[in-house]
Amino acid sequence: YALWDFLRELGESDVGGLGRISEESSSLGANVPLRRIVNLAKTYAWLVDKQVLSLLILKTVTFARVGEQARVFFQVMFSTLFLLHKKQSAQDVQAVYSVFQRAVSNPTMCHGILFFFQHFVKNCELVSEDERPIMKWGCKVAKQAIRSGVGSTSFDDM
């Protein structure tokens, strides 16, 4: 619930489903310091990578219409997740694959994540030019994991 509260603080009012509290709506869209956004994104990336948390914590996020601050949060989170495996070894492929394989029980969320990758992570401006191939590699591995689990060909365009 802490992540959902933070995402609502970033302006994502539809995150959290029935657990939302109406009095919190006054703080929606507040200008959250970039340092806090980056630090929390990196923390969640590490927790997901180490399988302390699953990507299913993002099940209530509508990736097709995230606001600017939430978009930065997710760009940093997914970029960090891929950069943790920048050697791109077989072990790194398996680690990234495993993270996304655990999320296939929610195909709608997986579609949203792949949409977000296509539009905001593959050519992310928040990473250096040298790190962009790692983003493309990570997106490719994630897509393979999701396709194998969901069993859909609708991901071919991504």
Side-chain angles (χ1 to χ4, degrees), residues 36-102:
R36 183 168 178 229
I37 293 171
V38 170
N39 288 342
L40 282 172
K42 288 181 176 186
T43 300
Y44 278 101
W46 187 86
L47 291 170
V48 168
D49 181 60
K50 301 303 178 199
Q51 298 189 4
V52 174
L53 295 173
S54 164
L55 285 177
L56 291 173
I57 60 172
L58 307 176
K59 65 185 173 187
T60 64
V61 175
T62 307
F63 286 98
R65 56 186 169 112
V66 293
E68 185 178 343
Q69 288 186 314
R71 186 194 52 173
V72 170
F73 173 82
F74 290 119
Q75 283 177 314
V76 172
M77 184 181 132
F78 288 121
S79 297
T80 301
L81 184 62
F82 297 150
L83 289 171
L84 288 169
H85 302 284
K86 60 185 167 190
K87 292 180 184 175
Q88 301 177 21
S89 67
Q91 186 177 5
D92 289 335
V93 170
Q94 183 57 40
V96 172
Y97 191 92
S98 171
V99 164
F100 289 91
Q101 187 67 44
R102 292 176 64 207

